[in-house]
Amino acid sequence: MRLVNRLNQFQRLWQPSAGEPQQITVAELAARCFCSERHIRTLLRQLESAGWVNWHAQAGRGKRGQLIFLVTPEQVRATMMEQVL
């Protein structure tokens, strides 16, 4: 169930740019995923360790980091289906 939730949040991050690299703040990402800034940082670490995204944060309040997608939601969904089967 946690993987399904993580996939849903990944899709929320993916949709506005259709997978193109984004210059975005942590606050904007948190608003997009309906969670706190603290949780979005944890989520970004989890997505990075899963190999789904690269996140390059900038030091300082309000600075824009770079979010790069390494896989598509369809690829993630296919991998999850293979694991279930």
Side-chain angles (χ1 to χ4, degrees):
M1 188 64 174
R2 286 185 183 195
L3 279 177
V4 174
N5 290 338
R6 192 169 300 148
L7 175 61
N8 288 337
Q9 290 175 321
F10 177 70
Q11 287 178 307
R12 286 188 190 115
L13 296 174
W14 171 276
Q15 286 175 343
S17 69
E20 293 297 316
Q22 302 176 30
Q23 297 291 326
I24 193 163
T25 65
V26 172
E28 292 168 339
L29 291 172
R32 193 178 292 170
C33 287
F34 309 107
C35 64
S36 68
E37 291 181 22
R38 182 177 180 178
H39 182 70
I40 199 69
R41 286 186 189 98
T42 301
L43 178 64
L44 288 169
R45 278 194 300 274
Q46 291 171 349
L47 295 177
E48 264 192 312
S49 67
W52 297 1
V53 300
N54 277 341
W55 169 247
H56 303 287
Q58 296 291 324
R61 175 170 253 171
K63 298 281 181 143
R64 294 186 174 276
Q66 184 175 26
L67 181 63
I68 301 169
F69 295 94
L70 304 176
V71 294
T72 66
E74 291 79 22
Q75 291 171 322
V76 172
R77 209 173 294 115
T79 303
M80 289 172 65
M81 290 300 289
E82 288 175 10
Q83 290 175 353
V84 170
L85 296 175

